Structure formats: structure tokens, C-alpha cells
């Protein structure tokens, strides 16, 4: 056994163990440790075992004696060999025992990702390390490992940390990401792949948002967001502050997953697989919270200083705005600019609320430049609050079981969109008849003799005003337009029963198009209004 020493600070007494503790010196070690403890009575005890090479059962009894003196005892810096002894004897269950961590330097390493709680660096061609902003990040690391494991179980492709390391004064999680490139890197160096990135980005986003999370497994973003609104309302005129808070409180509880920090630096392409990283912000909640965070990442943070997006994502603000608009259009499955603008305005309300709170809490009101940003965001937020009455995302898509009983639900869904554009009564009746004919046809024949779902999508394009209604099913391939039109000049005795439904659709709609793609029947009706 080497000499035992200790240090005292305002938080604890740290005693440094070294060499061997066995039956030959355990009594001496205990007396020496007790003497060190006597120098700082009442202080929480930390045993630093970084230089401890060996411990026997006699040494463990010394540790147990110390634990009985102080139930706050923590042992840190334990080598893998000594940790195994602590673990097999159950000591790791009695009090915190922390392994020694190998030291990793990120000096000169490429930054490939940045999130709310840390920065990700590539340390070699196969591995990356996420360095946490919080110097005491071990609990954060454990949390991220748990939620990443949960996400993987629920079907979200992500990387799981396999090691914890020491990086300067903080900690890092090490992940295997072979030759991975972030979507930010791809967009900034291969602009011709922007549309591919949009497609994959939205595919992953929809996968996340369609994932139901067991109750209690992830924090509820709604509760957190209401706290943002409660904070921000105090910095707005009363009428605006109260409306802001009421809008947030009206957002329904939602048990579907959201990432919480979903931007192009947190999607990695490794080989031909897309992986989601930086999972510590995972939560459940309404998609509007995700879209608000995304708006900030691509536009909000950079509205007053376009250089911000360049230093953060690696591409310019014009590219970022283009990407955001394409993503929103693809996510909503629409080219309806009015709908897209409506959803963007709601995302901006969430985004500005968060930006204002974040900046004020970081001393923004005491910095002239930051204060100008806060004033800008407040002005934009109040302008939006004058015209937005709900943060609910209007859906232009209905996924429903194709049965006769659900016909009225489908008609109500379509009529809601028609009423929003003041569709004339004659055209509305024609559209309703066409919708009924197509949906009932799917209900009767697409999955016969079983059942299945149909997706009904409504899109409105202005100038000129055109309504498009698309029906999608996974049933038996069938092109109704290929059927020959009935001869309406024949007498009742000579006419065949059936075939009038599709004939009426073709006669009343301005365009009808059928396609079979990716195992789906896709039929689109268009009507000029």
C-alpha cells in the first residue's frame, strides 16, 4: 500500500487509495482512512480508487465500515479489474461505484453534430464521441443510453453508446459510426442530393411521429412547453401573453414520439443506412413541438444573423430555407401553399416562444445585440398571435378502414376542406358523389374477402383554384379507368347493371388519374372550382 492522502473542498472529502489493500495491511489502511476522515467530520466521503491495483475481502470490509459511517459514500475512478470485484460482491448495488474512464482528446477532430446538450466529434474513421456541455454528465449519459435503447426497441434506427470516456473537464459517449456523414455535410458538399436528403429526412420524421411510446417511458414535451409559455408571457403585453399560454394549454396530450432536436446534423448516413443520433432530447408530444424546434434550427436562430446557420449547419440561409420549405411540403403531403403557411406560422409561434425564453434566461436582456434579437422575435410572435387561434396542425390526410360504415367520416373530412375554400354547392355535390363512388368501390373490392385501410388526401391549389382528392390503398391492383364506359343509349332491358359509378366520376371530374406504385393503388380526382 502506498501513502494515503486526502483533499477537502466545500462539497466533500476525497481520500485517495493506491496500491494493494489485502489482509496484510487492511487494519493499517482503515486506521489511516479514519484519521483522514477525522480531519473533516461530517463531510461526504469520496474514495478515489484510480491508483488502487488490488483489493481482497479484507479491503472490502474496510470499505463497508466506511459506508456504515457515511451513507453518502461514493467510490470513483475504479479500474475495470477492481470494479469487477465490487460488482460480483454486490457493492455496486450498495453505493455509487464509478469506473475509471479512458481519456480522449477531441483537439483537431471534425465536428459532425451539435445538439442542445453536447457536440459530436469524429475521433477516427469508425467512431465518434458526443461530448456533453454539462461537466457532471454521467447521469445525462445514462439517460441517453436508456432512451436510445428504448427508441431502438421501438424501431427507430439509432446508434447505442458502447463506452464512456473523459474529455477535458467533461465526459463523452463513444458510438460506432463507420464512415458516417451527417445530412448537413451531404447538403453542403453535394447540393444535387438535397431532394434525396429531404425524402430521407421526412421518412425518418414520420417514422418517429408514428411511434407510440409506453406511458411514462419518456418525458412529456407538452408540460415542458407550457413552462416556456408561462415564462415568455411575462415579457409580452397581457393580452398576448394570456393568448400564448392558452394556445399551448390547448395542445392535446399525445403519446407519440418526438425527437426534440431534429435537424440535419443529427441524421447520419453510414453505408446505405440512415441513423438518428443525439437522443437525449427524446420525448412524447404533439408534432408541432418538433416543427417549432426545426424552424429554429433552420431559420429562427439565423433571422437576425444569417451567418449563424452557416457556422452551425455548414450551408447558407437560402439553402436552409429551401430545405425547410421542401420538408414541410413533404411532411404535410401537400403543395397547398396556404396550408403550408398555416403550419409554418404555428411552428414559428412555438419556436419564437422557446427562443425568447432561452435568450432571456442566458442574460440576453443585458446584451444590446441579444436584446435586438429578443425584440425581433417578440414582434414576430405578437404579429402571429393576432391571426392564429389554434396550434393544432390541420391534416389533409385521413387514414381509415375502408368500410361502408366509414363513408360519412370520409365525406365530412372532404367537405371540411371544400368549405374552407367556399366551394360552390354544385361542385361540392359532384365531388361528394365521386368520393362516395371511389371509397365504396375500395371498401367492396380492394381487400375482398378481408378488410384494409384507405388513405384519403385532399389538396387545394390556388390560382387557378383546383381541388385534388387522392385515394390510396394496398389492395388488389385494379385500374377502374380501364373499364369500358357503359352504353347509356341502350334501353333498360338491354343495359347491364353496374359500371355507372366510375362513369359518373369521369364525367363530373376535370381529371382522373390512376397509378399503381410500390404495391399501392393510387387514384386522383381533380376538380376546377
Amino acid at each position: 500500500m502506498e501513502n494515503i492522502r486526502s483533499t477537502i473542498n466545500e462539497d466533500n472529502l476525497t481520500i485517495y487509495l493506491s496500491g494493494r489493500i489485502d489482509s496484510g495491511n487492511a487494519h493499517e489502511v482503515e486506521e489511516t482512512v479514519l484519521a483522514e476522515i477525522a480531519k473533516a467530520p461530517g463531510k461526504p466521503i469520496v474514495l478515489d480508487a484510480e491508483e488502487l491495483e488490488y483489493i481482497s475481502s479484507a479491503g472490502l470490509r474496510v470499505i463497508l465500515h466506511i459506508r456504515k459511517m457515511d451513507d453518502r459514500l461514493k467510490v470513483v475512478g475504479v479500474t475495470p479489474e477492481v470494479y469487477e470485484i465490487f460488482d460480483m460482491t454486490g457493492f455496486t448495488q450498495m453505493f455509487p461505484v464509478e469506473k475509471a474512464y479512458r481519456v480522449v482528446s477531441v483537439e483537431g477532430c471534425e465536428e459532425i453534430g451539435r445538439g442542445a446538450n453536447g457536440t459530436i466529434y469524429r475521433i477516427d474513421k469508425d467512431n465518434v464521441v458526443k461530448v456533453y456541455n454539462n461537466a457532471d454528465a454521467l447521469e445525462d449519459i445514462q439517460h441517453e443510453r436508456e432512451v436510445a435503447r428504448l427508441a431502438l426497441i421501438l424501431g427507430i434506427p439509432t446508434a447505442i453508446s458502447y463506452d464512456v470516456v473523459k474529455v477535458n473537464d467533461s465526459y463523452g459517449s463513444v458510438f460506432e459510426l463507420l464512415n458516417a456523414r451527417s445530412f448537413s455535410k451531404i447538403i453542403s458538399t453535394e447540393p444535387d442530393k438535397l431532394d434525396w436528403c429531404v425524402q430521407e429526412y421526412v421518412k425518418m420524421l414520420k417514422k418517429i411521429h408514428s411511434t407510440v411510446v409506453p406511458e411514462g417511458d419518456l418525458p412529456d414535451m407538452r408540460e415542458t412547453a407550457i413552462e416556456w409559455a408561462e415564462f415568455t408571457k411575462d415579457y409580452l403585453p397581457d393580452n398576448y401573453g394570456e393568448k400564448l399560454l392558452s394556445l399551448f394549454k390547448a395542445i392535446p396530450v399525445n403519446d407519440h414520439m418526438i425527437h426534440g432536436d431534429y435537424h440535419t446534423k443529427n441524421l447520419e448516413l453510414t453505408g446505405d443506412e440512415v441513423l438518428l443520433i443525439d437522443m437525449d432530447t427524446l420525448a412524447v408530444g404533439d408534432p408541432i413541438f418538433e416543427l417549432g424546434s426545426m424552424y429554429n434550427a433552420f431559420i429562427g436562430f439565423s433571422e437576425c444573423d444569417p451567418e449563424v446557420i452557416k457556422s452551425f449547419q455548414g450551408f447558407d440561409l437560402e439553402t436552409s430555407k429551401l430545405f425547410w420549405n421542401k420538408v414541410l411540403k413533404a411532411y404535410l403531403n401537400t403543395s397547398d401553399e396556404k396550408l403550408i403557411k398555416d403550419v409554418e406560422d404555428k411552428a414559428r409561434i412555438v419556436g419564437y416562444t422557446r427562443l425568447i425564453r432561452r435568450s432571456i434566461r442566458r442574460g440576453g436582456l443585458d446584451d444590446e445585440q441579444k436584446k435586438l434579437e429578443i425584440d425581433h422575435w417578440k414582434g414576430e410572435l405578437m404579429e402571429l398571435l393576432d391571426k392564429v387561434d389554434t396550434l393544432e396542425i390541420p391534416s389533409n390526410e385521413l387514414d381509415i378502414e375502408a368500410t361502408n360504415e366509414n363513408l360519412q367520416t370520409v365525406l365530412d373530412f372532404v367537405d371540411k376542406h371544400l368549405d374552407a375554400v367556399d366551394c360552390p354547392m354544385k361542385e361540392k355535390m359532384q365531388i361528394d358523389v365521386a368520393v362516395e363512388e371511389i371509397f365504396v368501390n375500395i371498401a367492396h373490392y380492394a381487400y375482398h374477402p378481408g378488410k384494409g385501410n384507405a388513405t384519403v388526401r385532399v389538396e387545394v391549389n390556388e390560382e387557378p383554384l383546383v381541388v385534388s382528392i387522392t385515394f390510396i390503398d394496398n389492395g388488389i391492383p385494379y385500374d377502374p379507368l380501364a373499364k369500358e364506359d357503359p352504353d347509356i343509349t341502350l334501353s333498360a332491358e338491354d343495359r347491364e347493371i353496374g359500371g355507372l359509378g366510375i362513369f359518373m366520376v369521369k364525367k363530373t371530374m376535370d381529371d382522373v388519374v390512376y397509378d399503381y406504385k410500390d404495391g399501392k393503388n393510387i387514384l386522383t380526382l381533380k376538380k376546377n372550382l
Side-chain angles (χ1 to χ4, degrees), residues 5 67 97 111 117 129 135 148 163 203 267 276 283 286 292-293 300 333 368 402 413 421 423 434 441 444 475 502 505:
R5 60 186 179 84
R67 166 61 180 78
V97 180
E111 178 187 317
N117 298 320
V129 60
D163 194 14
K203 185 192 296 185
L267 274 186
L276 182 64
D286 192 277
S293 171
N333 279 321
E368 197 57 40
F413 173 74
V421 293
C423 179
N441 196 53
H444 287 177
I502 293 299
V505 170

Side-chain angles (χ1 to χ4, degrees), residues 11 50 69 120 144 164 257 266 274 286 296 318 326 329 392 434 452 478 495 497 500 505 528:
D11 295 322
E50 186 175 349
M69 294 174 60
I120 300 172
E144 182 163 5
V164 179
M257 184 185 294
N266 282 336
V274 177
D286 192 277
N296 284 349
E318 183 180 351
K326 283 176 173 283
K329 187 179 293 187
E392 181 181 354
Y478 175 66
R495 293 269 290 271
I497 297 174
L500 285 175
V505 170
N528 300 326

Side-chain angles (χ1 to χ4, degrees), residues 102-120:
R102 66 186 177 97
V103 177
V104 168
S105 172
V106 295
E107 186 176 351
C109 293
E110 176 193 5
E111 178 187 317
I112 65 167
R114 183 184 292 267
N117 298 320
T119 305
I120 300 172

